[in-house]
């Protein structure tokens, strides 16, 4: 199993995974906690109406286009 800890992932690990040589992946508890903390931070920015490239705005040429709150999830999926 490839443990994702935020520090030790190598290009060799990524290549092995891309070739299907490594089929199991898991975040360490520390990494999971850091991801969750980051998510809360971003959620707070969105709730306050902050302008965040690629989250509350479009990308590239559309960087100056604000995305309505009800379409933010769709933007991320797309």
């Amino acid at each position: 199993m490839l443990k994702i800890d935020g520090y030790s992932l190598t290009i060799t690990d990524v290549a092995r995974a891309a070739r299907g040589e490594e089929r199991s992946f898991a975040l360490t508890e520390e990494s999971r906690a850091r991801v969750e903390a980051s998510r809360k931070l971003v959620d707070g920015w969105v709730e306050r109406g902050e302008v965040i490239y690629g989250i509350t705005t479009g990308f590239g040429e559309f960087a100056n286009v604000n995305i309505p709150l009800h379409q933010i999830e769709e933007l991320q999926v797309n």
Side-chain angles (χ1 to χ4, degrees):
M1 173 176 296
L2 183 60
K3 298 258 183 181
I4 310 294
D5 63 9
Y7 302 103
S8 61
L9 186 67
T10 66
I11 191 67
T12 301
D13 294 330
V14 173
R16 286 181 44 230
R19 289 190 300 263
E21 296 170 13
E22 190 66 64
R23 296 182 189 266
S24 295
F25 309 88
L27 289 176
T28 63
E29 287 303 314
E30 179 187 359
S31 292
R32 185 175 305 281
R34 289 196 331 259
V35 168
E36 289 172 2
S38 296
R39 174 61 191 251
K40 286 179 184 177
L41 183 66
V42 171
D43 286 347
W45 292 337
V46 170
E47 287 173 13
R48 288 189 300 277
E50 307 237 1
V51 176
I52 311 160
Y53 176 80
I55 296 176
T56 61
T57 73
F59 296 91
E61 291 180 30
F62 301 102
N64 294 321
V65 175
N66 290 327
I67 306 301
L69 284 177
H70 69 278
Q71 291 183 318
I72 287 177
E73 281 189 45
E74 183 181 350
L75 173 70
Q76 297 307 308
V77 170
N78 291 339

